[in-house]
Amino acid sequence: MVMMNGNEAVARGAFEAGVKVAAGFPGTPSTEVMDYTHQRYPDIYCEWSTNEKVGLEVAIGASFAGYRSLAIMKTVGLHVAADALGGAAGSQINGGLVIVVGDDVGRIAGDDYNDVRHYGNMFNIPVLEPSDSQDAKDLMVKAFAISEEYTTPVILKITSVICKTTSRVIIDEDYTYEAKCRVKYPVSFSKVIMTTMMMNAKGSEHPKLVKCFNDFPAHMKRLADDCNDFDINNLELRGKKIGVITAGTPYFYTKEVLPDASILKLGLVMPLPEKLIRKLAKHVDKLYVIEDGHDILEKNIKDLGVSVIGKELFPKFPEMTRFTPDVIEEKLVPDAPKRAIMDGIPFRLPVSCAGCSHLFITQILKKHKIKAAADVTCGLIGCFPHTEAYSLQKCMGSSIALSHGYNVATDHKENFVAMIGDGGFWATGINGLMNLIFNDSQSTVIIVDNSCLAMTGGQHIASSEFGFNYKPENKLEIAKVCEAIGVKDIVTVDAYEIETLENAILNAVNAKTNSVVIVKKPCITKFKLPKSDPYHIDQELCTQCRKCIHIGCLAIESKKGKDGKVEIVINEDLCVGCGLCSTACKFDAIKL
Amino acid sequence: MQDTGKNIIIAGVGGQGILLFSNLLSKFYMKLGYELKISDVIGLGQRGGGVESHFRYSNNPVLSPFIKAGDADYVISFEQTETLRYLHCLKEDGIILSSTFELSTSSVNTRLEKDMPESKTELIRKSGKKTFIVDPDENKNPDFDISKMMNIVMLGFYAELRGYSHDEMIQIVKENVPKKFVEGNIKAYEKGMAIAQTEVAEKESELSNC
C-alpha cells in the first residue's frame, strides 16, 4: 500500500498497463501525470510535444504501431487536439489509445466552463472518470483494455480534485513491465476515408474495402450493453427514498452526506449502463444526478427516458464551480445547519512573482500607453485590474494573430502589439507569426523567453536547455526561427536592462515594418535565480501615489503598521532586488 | 480515550510550505496506521495565492476529500487572512492554530476592495473557539529563518499540543527535508514546541481562573 495523488496513480496505471509511449502538453491540473511517468517509469518513452495536437498525433501513431499509447493534456488543450481526436475516433485501434484529460474544476479562471465529456458525446467515444487514486490507477488499466476490445480511443477524465488528492493505493509490487505489441489491423483510416469508400463502392464486401471499414457504432453499442456488468459501474442499493447517479469525487461527497441513499457510481460515464440506471430508478422515490462540470450525465440519462433531478436543484456555474459535500447537504439534508464564511475577507487576485520579466514589459507598455494583447502565459496576470497593461487576451498562442487582426482592421493606424510567452509561441503562436509575415503585416511581437513553460511549473519547450529528450544541437533558437520565417527587425534584450528594453520596444513599435522583440530572462521561480539585496521604501519620501503598487509585484504591499497607519512597504522576504520599482518611483522613495 | 481520527484544514499562501507540512503529518499518521485522505487545493494565481489542504485521518475509510463546513477539528493557518477564511469550517469545539503573519491581498493593495477595519488577530481571538496564536515577529531567531520555516514551527506546536512523540516527528522531518536544511528545521521544530508549552500553560491558567 502506498499513498499517491491522482496524477501519481494515473502514471502508475499507465505503467501497469504496459504503456510504451506517452506524449502531451503541460496543463494544470494534469501536468504531473507526465512528470511522474518520466521520473518513475523509465521504460516508457515520454515527450512533451510542441502542443496537444502534436502530442495526440504522436500517441495515435504509436498506437497504430501496436503499442499502448497515452496522450496527456488538460481539457483546454484537447480543444487544440480535437481534430486529431476526431480523426482517431471510430477508427481501427491496434495498441490501446488513452487520452488523459484534466478538467480544472473549481477554478475561477475560465477552465471550469469546460467539460471533457462533451467529446465523448461528440465523437461517440468512451469516457471514464475515477473517484480517488485507487480508482484512477485501476481505471487507467481498464481504459486500455476497453480501447483494444472495442477498438476506440478512450478518454480518462480527471479533475483538479482527483489530481491533487492523496489517498492509499494498492499496487502490484511484483509487476514486471512489459510493452506488448498488438497489430490487429494492417490499416487504420479516419472515418471520412472509411465511410467514403463504403458509401461509394458497390462491392463493399470486397476484402480490400472490408479491411478499411470499422463498424464503430456497433462497437459502442456492444460496450453500452456490456458495461451493465462492468465492476467499475457499481450499484449500491440501500434506502428507497433517495437515489443518486454520480461519478468522480462527488461519489464520495454523496456517500458521506447521504449514507442511506442508494447510489449508482459510474466509472464509465459514457456510454451509460442503461439497465443499472433503470434498476436504480425503479428502486427509489427520487433520483438525482450529482456530477461535476456540465449537465452531461443528466442529459444523457434523460435521453434514455429516465426522469432525474439535476441542475434544477443544483444550478451550475456561476452558482457553483464544483460540487462539495456542503452543497449536497444544503439541498438534500433537511435542517442542515447553515455555516457561512465571514463577511469582508479580501479576495486574492493572482500576482506575478517578484522580479518576473513580465513586470518589466507591462511597466514599459503602461508608461508609453502602448496597446497590447496578452497570451496564455504568466504575463496574462498583467490583464488583471491591479496591473491593467493589456486590453485583449484569449487562448494559448493567439496574441500574434489577434494583434494582426486588430491592425489590419484599423489600417495599421496604431501598432497593436502582441506579447507572447515562449511556450505559447512554440505551441501555436508560431503559426500566427508565419501568417503575419506572408500577409504583409506590420505588427510588433514581444516574445518572452524565460526558457521554460513557467505557468505550469517550468516544463521544457523547444527552446529550453533541458528536457526529457534534450540534446544541445536540437535546441531551437527563437531569434533564428523568426529570422527564417522572414521577420525584418529582430532584437534580443535582457529584461533587467530596462532602458535598453524600453528603447527596443519603442523602436519596434514605431518602425513601419514587422518586428520581434525577444525579452530574455530565465523564469525566476523555476531556475531559482540568486537574489540581490532587497529594496525598501523611505516613508518620509513616500507620497503614497501607489505607482509602485500597480506594477503588480508580490513584494510590494499596502499595510497597516503597528500604529494603524497605512504604509506602502516592500516585503523583504519576497523582494529579489530587481529594482524595477525604484525606476518607477518619481519621488526617489524606493532605495537599496 | 483512543483517537479515532480528526479533520484538519491547513491554510496559508503559496510558498509557505503547506504541502510539506501536510506531507510530514501524513507520514506520521500513516505510521500510526490511520486511513488518510489529503486534498491540496492550490488557489488561483502564482506566488501569494491562497493554498488550503484538507487533511483527514481516521480509523475508518475516509470518504470525501473535502472537509464539510462545521466538521473541522483544527484550522492550522500560516497567514491570518486565510485563518479567517476557514473559521466557519470548525466544529463547535474546534481549535485554531494561527500565525499572525499577513500577506496583504492585491485587491486591497490596489484599493479594489477595502481591508477589514478590525484587527484580524482580534477577530480570530474573538471567534469563540479555543485559539492559539503564534507571532513570527516575536519569535525571530538567529538559528533559522522563521519566515521560511513557519511550517515546521507549527508542526512542533501541533505535536506538543497533541502530546505526540517529538522523537518520531523529528525523525520524519529529518527523513523528508534536504540535508542542508535539517539543522534549521529541527531548531524551528523545537521553537514551536517551546511556544506551545508556554501557550498551553497560559490557556490552562486562564481556564482555571474562570
Side-chain angles (χ1 to χ4, degrees), chain A residues 227-345:
Chain A
C227 73
N228 287 293
D229 301 319
F230 284 2
D231 58 2
I232 58 173
N233 291 329
N234 191 25
L235 182 58
E236 304 167 10
L237 290 179
R238 281 183 287 266
K240 289 180 180 287
K241 269 192 189 154
I242 293 180
V244 178
I245 301 172
T246 183
T249 47
Y251 163 68
F252 284 113
Y253 314 151
T254 306
K255 216 171 150 145
E256 182 158 318
V257 177
L258 307 168
D260 299 327
S262 292
I263 299 176
L264 174 58
K265 183 226 182 256
L266 299 173
L268 185 71
V269 293
M270 167 83 206
L272 291 171
E274 192 177 340
K275 282 183 203 157
L276 296 179
I277 290 170
R278 291 195 189 283
K279 195 170 170 188
L280 176 62
K282 231 176 172 178
H283 179 77
V284 296
D285 300 337
K286 273 194 169 167
L287 185 56
Y288 299 88
V289 176
I290 295 184
E291 58 181 322
D292 262 335
H294 297 184
D295 53 337
I296 295 174
L297 285 180
E298 181 181 345
K299 279 183 177 152
N300 289 348
I301 293 166
K302 284 178 175 168
D303 275 354
L304 298 172
V306 176
S307 142
V308 283
I309 303 162
K311 69 174 178 185
E312 60 186 275
L313 184 66
F314 301 108
K316 302 281 183 179
F317 189 85
E319 280 82 357
M320 162 166 67
T321 55
R322 67 166 173 232
F323 264 100
T324 60
D326 309 67
V327 173
I328 301 169
E329 185 181 75
E330 185 196 327
K331 297 291 172 72
L332 292 180
V333 179
D335 310 325
K338 285 220 179 329
R339 293 183 180 86
I341 189 168
M342 183 183 280
D343 280 336
I345 303 171

Side-chain angles (χ1 to χ4, degrees), chain A residues 1 3 109 132 161 164-168 249 252-253 255-257 322-326 329 339-351 353 378 381 385-386 455 525 544 546 549-550 554 556-560 562 571 573-574, chain B residues 13 30 35-41 44-50 56 63-71 79 81-82 84-85 87-88 90 101-113 115-118 120 123 137 147-148:
Chain A
M1 189 197 87
M3 294 293 282
D132 63 9
V161 185
K164 307 284 182 202
T165 297
T166 302
S167 57
R168 74 188 185 121
T249 47
F252 284 113
Y253 314 151
K255 216 171 150 145
E256 182 158 318
V257 177
R322 67 166 173 232
F323 264 100
T324 60
D326 309 67
E329 185 181 75
R339 293 183 180 86
I341 189 168
M342 183 183 280
D343 280 336
I345 303 171
F347 180 71
R348 288 190 193 277
L349 282 169
V351 186
C353 304
C378 289
I381 295 172
H386 49 75
M455 207 168 198
T525 301
Q544 301 216 358
R546 295 184 167 242
I549 284 271
H550 287 276
L554 183 60
I556 307 175
E557 295 182 85
S558 165
K559 257 191 167 162
K560 262 183 251 169
K562 295 266 178 212
N571 182 323
D573 294 321
L574 297 171
Chain B
V13 292
M30 265 182 83
E35 297 268 356
L36 289 162
K37 228 174 221 182
I38 306 142
S39 195
D40 298 317
V41 187
L44 181 75
Q46 309 294 109
R47 288 284 176 276
R56 310 187 72 185
L63 299 174
S64 168
F66 290 128
I67 298 164
K68 199 154 51 66
D71 278 356
E79 201 276 354
T81 313
E82 297 309 309
L84 294 176
R85 227 182 280 288
L87 288 183
H88 69 291
L90 280 163
F101 171 76
E102 187 173 338
L103 182 72
S104 65
T105 70
S106 51
S107 56
V108 167
N109 287 343
T110 51
R111 295 177 171 161
L112 289 172
E113 57 182 334
D115 201 359
M116 308 172 87
E118 309 92 331
K120 295 192 179 74
L123 282 173
D137 290 335
S147 77
K148 298 212 169 49

Side-chain angles (χ1 to χ4, degrees), chain A residues 7 23 98 125 183 198 226 255 312 394 452 568 581 591:
Chain A
N7 285 332
V98 175
I125 54 178
V183 181
M198 282 298 291
D226 294 353
K255 216 171 150 145
E312 60 186 275
K394 303 293 174 204
C452 65
I568 314 296
C581 52
K591 297 167 178 172

